[in-house]
Amino acid sequence: QESEASGLPEYVKIVEVGPRDGLQNEKVIVPTDTKIEFINRLSKTGLPAIEVTSFVSSKWVPQMADHNEVLRGIERHPGVQYPVLTPNLQGFHSAIAAGATEVSIFGAASESFSKMNINCSIEESIEKFEEVVKSARNMNIPVRGYVSCALGCPYEGNIIPAKVAEVSKRLYGMGCYEISLGDTIGVGTPGSMKRMLEAVMKEIPLSALAVHCHDTYGQALANILTAIQMGVAVVDSSVSGLGGCPYAKGATGNVATEDVVYMLNGLGINTGVNLYTVMEAGNFICTALNKKTNSKVAQASFNTGTIN
Amino acid sequence: SSQTIVPTPVKISLINMLSETGLSVIEATSFVSPKWVPQMADHTEVMQGINRLPGVSYPVLTPNLRGFQAAVAAGAKEVSIFGAASELFTKKNINCSIEESLERFEEVMGAARAADVPVRGYVSCVLGCPYEGKISAAKVAEVSKKLYSMGCYEISLGDTIGVGTPGSMREMLTAVMKELPVGALAVHCHDTYGQALANILVALQMGVSVVDASVAGLGGCPYARGAAGNVATEDLVYMLHGLGIHTGVDLQKLMDTGTFICNALNRQTNSKVSQASCRL
């Protein structure tokens, strides 16, 4: 197979973050029914993991206020994971009560970002999450860890790879089964991605790594390609490229799942995802949000009237 | 391929601004009949009106011998010709076969050699054709080799409809590099499916060191209405600088140029770097 010959992974797991990371960064509040329909459509695309909501206080993130109804209302397809974000122990307990079978926590590679975002230091945030991870471990609930600002910070600017490695190692050591390295403001390039991954790969096994690239500077696919060339086999993306960048108004955020799948298909890498049904799900949510897709593949495909 | 006809002074300002950014090559216009391409009707005025900076090349497209002669008369020092890796595309585009199109260009090559004018060759549809679909890498290699042997100093391999991926880019370049030295190769990637920078990255990894791009990502795709076309120079330069690759280009000046032409065209930029930067 082409992918084997080139040293690329045979299979890449795509973690769909549209319903959570995507919608969280969209201005329009989406009705619960629409969210549920959206997620149900995504469940039929072959995506192996769909991050469905966040058990955060509705005071902070109104878009996620209906987390209970969403988690309880969606269809759960066999073989598909439905992780939810749990910012603290209280959120974790609510998530479990609502039927969550996997949760995510997050740290940052930047002290300033941590302070501005959740008003505490990196160390303090990790200590808070230790409670969540401990409870999760007791209940056999897998925990995914996110590291924000892995390639740059809106406040600190440059972030050193060693810091990313250090925070990742802490989260992994605590018991997170997977660490998703996030280029939160999309400033990374193949150059900085390579340097960061080299540092992190010294501390964490490759199979436990994922990349979460933002396309704010158009670099996402090139960065993802770099990561895959280095053996990373888990990629986060958001259907239609849902979710803008809160740090650069009007700029794009998440990379579009359609564009990622198109690239991986072209590389002969298996994802299990049906590009056409993903585009249909994207079309559904964009219609509901009354906005244009951020996916170039979708733009090209729907305009020619044919799917390439 | 912009819808509105851009006034000549605006074109000249655009090219002059681009000349100040550090870019070493700026394709200025096309000496094609205004009947076919009204946007390029002012080719002579543009060519004669721009400031020519030392160290910067200003190639122009010359679809035939007449265009070549007009170009040289207007002061052109470098020209470009084009072939395609698809018979159907050639037929639909210029109403002849690939072989016939290359024979026509032989005239241009002869005249260019006599006048000591370097010629760049473009190959369209290298990663896919809007009519034929899949294009064989061997066909791309064959057409490229013909253009190179005819005397083109550089061959720009164009993913005309942007359907290529790092996979097909690698396969195509592997075939072409069997016939041509990598130093004579360039890639011209379209971003219609968002793959351009990833495709360019693969080309760079394989040793290609000439990349075509368009400021602000100007130029849509005539085969997918509303879809993107050319890759944005700003986004390309951002990536190259992040890789530590020297381009000589001042990104800020480039972004300012993009802002200028987008204002003049009353449209939004297609460059993500530009979109992100102006809001921070």
Side-chain angles (χ1 to χ4, degrees):
Chain A
Q1 270 294 353
E2 189 194 327
S3 67
E4 284 170 39
S6 52
L8 299 171
E10 259 178 41
Y11 171 78
V12 164
K13 174 176 109 175
I14 296 188
V15 176
E16 171 62 44
V17 300
R20 202 284 301 172
D21 192 5
L23 291 185
Q24 184 165 317
N25 284 297
E26 292 284 338
K27 288 190 207 47
V28 175
I29 299 288
V30 178
T32 307
D33 285 346
T34 308
K35 283 180 183 143
I36 290 172
E37 168 76 28
F38 177 42
I39 293 164
N40 288 344
R41 282 167 181 258
L42 289 171
S43 288
K44 299 189 172 102
T45 60
L47 283 163
I50 304 164
E51 193 178 68
V52 299
T53 190
S54 176
F55 280 77
V56 64
S57 160
S58 49
K59 188 174 54 170
W60 297 123
V61 187
Q63 180 77 276
M64 300 286 126
D66 55 1
H67 41 239
N68 281 309
E69 293 86 335
V70 168
L71 191 52
R72 289 208 175 107
I74 57 172
E75 292 165 8
R76 308 269 212 128
H77 288 229
V80 183
Q81 297 304 317
Y82 299 92
V84 299
L85 216 69
T86 50
N88 48 44
L89 196 58
Q90 187 188 27
F92 175 77
H93 289 315
S94 304
I96 297 300
T101 47
E102 180 176 324
V103 300
S104 310
I105 62 169
F106 51 89
S110 155
E111 287 293 352
S112 312
F113 187 82
S114 208
K115 195 113 201 112
M116 292 291 238
N117 229 32
I118 51 178
N119 200 27
C120 61
S121 70
I122 298 177
E123 191 54 44
E124 286 167 339
S125 74
I126 292 183
E127 279 165 23
K128 283 187 194 173
F129 282 125
E130 227 149 4
E131 309 182 294
V132 175
V133 180
K134 228 182 286 189
S135 302
R137 285 233 302 261
N138 285 339
M139 305 180 64
N140 244 351
I141 301 280
V143 181
R144 186 184 212 228
Y146 282 99
V147 179
S148 307
C149 297
L151 298 177
C153 168
Y155 313 107
E156 285 184 19
N158 206 20
I159 293 293
I160 61 169
K163 189 70 183 175
V164 183
E166 178 195 319
V167 177
S168 305
K169 188 175 179 180
R170 290 279 268 121
L171 289 173
Y172 187 68
M174 268 162 58
C176 292
Y177 78 93
E178 192 168 271
I179 306 297
S180 174
L181 303 161
D183 182 11
T184 306
I185 47 171
V187 290
T189 64
S192 56
M193 172 63 84
K194 183 164 194 285
R195 285 191 295 276
M196 185 275 292
L197 283 177
E198 276 167 353
V200 176
M201 279 160 62
K202 288 197 181 103
E203 309 289 348
I204 296 182
L206 201 45
S207 57
L209 291 179
V211 289
H212 183 112
C213 297
H214 279 190
D215 204 36
T216 319
Y217 289 76
Q219 309 294 304
L221 285 189
N223 293 344
I224 289 167
L225 177 62
T226 301
I228 290 177
Q229 286 176 339
M230 292 174 76
V232 171
V234 183
V235 176
D236 299 358
S237 60
S238 174
V239 71
S240 295
L242 284 182
C245 180
Y247 305 97
K249 205 161 37 77
T252 56
N254 284 303
V255 68
T257 304
E258 299 93 318
D259 300 2
V260 173
V261 171
Y262 186 92
M263 180 173 80
L264 296 176
N265 284 353
L267 281 162
I269 293 173
N270 184 26
T271 61
V273 176
N274 181 317
L275 179 55
Y276 190 77
T277 48
V278 169
M279 284 199 282
E280 288 188 314
N283 193 36
F284 167 81
I285 195 64
C286 286
T287 306
L289 284 166
N290 193 26
K291 64 168 278 183
K292 286 172 84 165
T293 181
N294 279 332
S295 157
K296 291 223 161 128
V297 170
Q299 277 167 35
S301 305
F302 286 118
N303 277 315
T304 52
T306 56
I307 311 295
N308 284 290
Chain B
S1 45
S2 237
Q3 304 287 51
T4 47
I5 298 290
V6 180
T8 307
V10 173
K11 284 180 184 146
I12 290 173
S13 292
L14 170 64
I15 295 166
N16 288 344
M17 285 183 80
L18 287 169
S19 291
E20 300 290 334
T21 62
L23 285 162
S24 54
V25 184
I26 301 163
E27 193 175 64
T29 188
S30 174
F31 279 76
V32 64
S33 161
K35 191 174 51 172
W36 297 121
V37 188
Q39 181 75 275
M40 298 286 125
D42 55 0
H43 39 80
T44 302
E45 293 89 330
V46 168
M47 207 57 206
Q48 290 175 339
I50 56 175
N51 294 335
R52 310 267 214 124
L53 252 65
V56 183
S57 295
Y58 300 89
V60 299
L61 218 70
T62 50
N64 47 43
L65 187 61
R66 189 158 66 138
F68 173 80
Q69 286 159 346
V72 172
K77 298 273 185 287
E78 179 178 326
V79 302
S80 310
I81 62 171
F82 50 91
S86 156
E87 288 290 356
L88 222 49
F89 185 83
T90 306
K91 193 113 204 111
K92 296 273 206 180
N93 232 29
I94 52 180
N95 202 23
C96 62
S97 70
I98 298 178
E99 191 56 45
E100 286 166 340
S101 75
L102 293 177
E103 278 165 23
R104 287 183 196 173
F105 281 125
E106 276 286 8
E107 302 185 297
V108 176
M109 295 308 302
R113 227 170 302 143
D116 222 0
V117 173
V119 182
R120 186 186 213 229
Y122 282 99
V123 181
S124 307
C125 296
V126 301
L127 298 179
C129 170
Y131 312 107
E132 285 186 19
K134 197 170 196 310
I135 293 293
S136 82
K139 188 71 183 176
V140 181
E142 180 196 321
V143 177
S144 305
K145 186 177 180 177
K146 285 223 174 82
L147 285 170
Y148 187 67
S149 333
M150 270 163 61
C152 292
Y153 77 93
E154 193 169 271
I155 307 298
S156 174
L157 303 161
D159 181 13
T160 307
I161 48 170
V163 290
T165 64
S168 56
M169 172 63 85
R170 181 174 294 277
E171 192 190 329
M172 184 275 294
L173 282 178
T174 303
V176 175
M177 280 163 63
K178 289 201 179 98
E179 308 290 345
L180 267 70
V182 72
L185 295 180
V187 289
H188 184 112
C189 296
H190 279 188
D191 205 32
T192 319
Y193 289 78
Q195 308 294 306
L197 285 189
N199 293 346
I200 290 166
L201 180 62
V202 166
L204 293 169
Q205 290 172 342
M206 292 177 74
V208 172
S209 56
V210 184
V211 181
D212 300 359
S214 174
V215 68
L218 284 181
C221 179
Y223 305 96
R225 205 163 33 86
N230 282 303
V231 68
T233 312
E234 300 92 315
D235 300 1
L236 169 66
V237 169
Y238 185 93
M239 180 174 81
L240 295 174
H241 289 184
L243 279 161
I245 294 173
H246 179 67
T247 63
V249 177
D250 180 323
L251 182 54
Q252 187 56 56
K253 286 191 177 151
L254 188 59
M255 288 197 287
D256 292 343
T257 307
T259 302
F260 162 77
I261 192 62
C262 286
N263 286 340
L265 289 171
N266 192 29
R267 54 163 289 169
Q268 296 255 44
T269 181
N270 279 333
S271 157
K272 290 218 162 141
V273 168
S274 227
Q275 278 167 37
S277 305
C278 65
R279 262 82 168 190
L280 277 171

